[in-house]
Amino acid sequence: MPQTRKRLAGTTGTDKKGPSRKRIQTENPDGASAKMENPSPQKILASKNYGKNPGSHWLMKSEPESRLEKGVDVKFAIEDLKVQPNQTACWDGVRNYQARNFLRAMKLEEEVFFYHSNCKEPGIAGLMKIVKEAYPDHTQFEKNNPHYDPSSTKDNPKWSMVDVQFVRMMKRFIPLAELKTYYQAHKATGGPLKDMALFTCQRLSVQPLTQEEFDFILSLEEKEPS
DNA sequence: GCCAACGTTGGC
DNA sequence: GCCAACGTTGGC
């Protein structure tokens, strides 16, 4: 089993600091209209049975550039997946409940966009598929792992992972900036990306896509970069 | 169970 | 390197 490290979402926050508190709440820049009309990300995700049906599509984020987390490099680019034995790796280290629940909903053979985050050019790099459904993430029990969770027990593991296999690179890299342009246009016109989780649930590292979102993004491969 | 503020995410 | 956004923590 390949041991790979991916950047994880979420905060386990196992070691709490001292009692000092000083952060001030950030103010909404446009003052008066503090309450947005937008439905909450949770409502959006809940409203569509995302991830509940067989044949769902997904997007998972990973960092393609080196970055140390507790002294361990969390870099994992699509090129790193490609050179694993069987081009397969376990997607470990997810420490966010919503993301974990999506991992647990994933079914064999479902397709997943490999998204490069926290890097020079963020965006969708390629396609992979689920080759093993959710099982306990071993890194939660490893004291020296950056994603060690002392609150989890082997009897009742908190965190799950899946195995993914490389399918192919995108015919061209689909940059975040381009997706965002479509998202903003579609929000106004009601196009396929109007609720895309990449923008409505910005910090979610494992997220579902509708068939329409998935198909639209694939169609961008054939288009000129905009 | 509320909610202040902490710490992380991740684009820019 | 900055910092907005936001999920999580923990005092009360």
Side-chain angles (χ1 to χ4, degrees):
Chain A
M1 165 90 45
Q3 298 298 307
T4 59
R5 292 180 297 267
K6 265 128 264 110
R7 163 58 154 192
L8 292 214
T11 57
T12 312
T14 44
D15 52 337
K16 248 324 190 190
K17 308 297 163 270
S20 138
R21 294 282 165 86
K22 51 180 179 332
R23 172 90 53 106
I24 313 159
Q25 192 86 335
T26 325
E27 219 52 60
N28 193 329
D30 53 320
S33 58
K35 278 285 162 280
M36 296 273 100
E37 301 276 276
N38 298 341
S40 76
Q42 290 72 19
K43 292 262 173 59
I44 292 173
L45 288 181
S47 68
K48 307 213 158 167
N49 287 342
Y50 269 118
K52 301 232 171 90
N53 308 313
S56 294
H57 299 87
W58 309 95
L59 179 149
M60 300 206 286
K61 301 178 185 176
S62 183
E63 298 190 27
E65 295 173 5
S66 284
R67 190 178 64 81
L68 295 185
E69 202 173 292
K70 298 181 184 164
V72 179
D73 192 353
V74 294
K75 166 190 187 306
F76 191 78
I78 193 165
E79 291 80 8
D80 298 312
L81 175 61
K82 205 172 169 178
V83 299
Q84 296 292 320
N86 295 323
Q87 302 187 312
T88 298
C90 56
W91 204 269
D92 59 38
V94 171
R95 296 294 182 269
N96 168 282
Y97 287 109
Q98 198 176 11
R100 180 203 68 180
N101 293 342
F102 287 132
L103 287 176
R104 291 181 177 179
M106 292 174 169
K107 299 297 177 205
L108 286 179
E109 299 296 317
E110 287 180 347
E111 291 180 295
V112 187
F113 284 128
F114 194 123
Y115 177 87
H116 281 173
S117 70
N118 201 21
C119 56
K120 274 287 162 48
E121 198 176 24
I124 295 173
L127 262 181
M128 50 191 175
K129 67 177 181 182
I130 304 301
V131 293
K132 181 172 178 175
E133 294 178 7
Y135 62 107
D137 176 347
H138 56 85
T139 65
Q140 68 196 298
F141 305 119
E142 297 168 3
K143 287 211 169 61
N144 292 325
N145 190 283
H147 307 116
Y148 173 59
D149 183 355
S151 74
S152 183
T153 63
K154 295 220 173 185
D155 281 348
N156 189 16
K158 254 188 205 175
W159 306 111
S160 301
M161 63 185 182
V162 295
D163 287 357
V164 291
Q165 183 175 39
F166 176 83
V167 172
R168 65 174 177 86
M169 300 299 288
M170 299 302 279
K171 294 175 195 166
R172 67 177 180 89
F173 184 83
I174 311 292
L176 173 64
E178 181 176 343
L179 292 169
K180 186 183 278 180
T181 300
Y182 285 111
Y183 164 68
Q184 281 163 347
H186 291 183
K187 221 171 18 160
T189 63
L193 297 194
K194 66 181 167 54
D195 292 326
M196 191 181 180
L198 194 58
F199 306 103
T200 60
C201 301
Q202 215 175 305
R203 296 173 48 191
L204 189 61
S205 70
V206 177
Q207 47 186 258
L209 282 82
T210 62
Q211 184 74 52
E212 292 69 28
E213 288 165 347
F214 186 82
D215 291 343
F216 179 80
I217 291 167
L218 285 184
S219 78
L220 295 179
E221 288 186 301
E222 318 294 341
K223 282 210 172 87
E224 288 301 307
S226 56

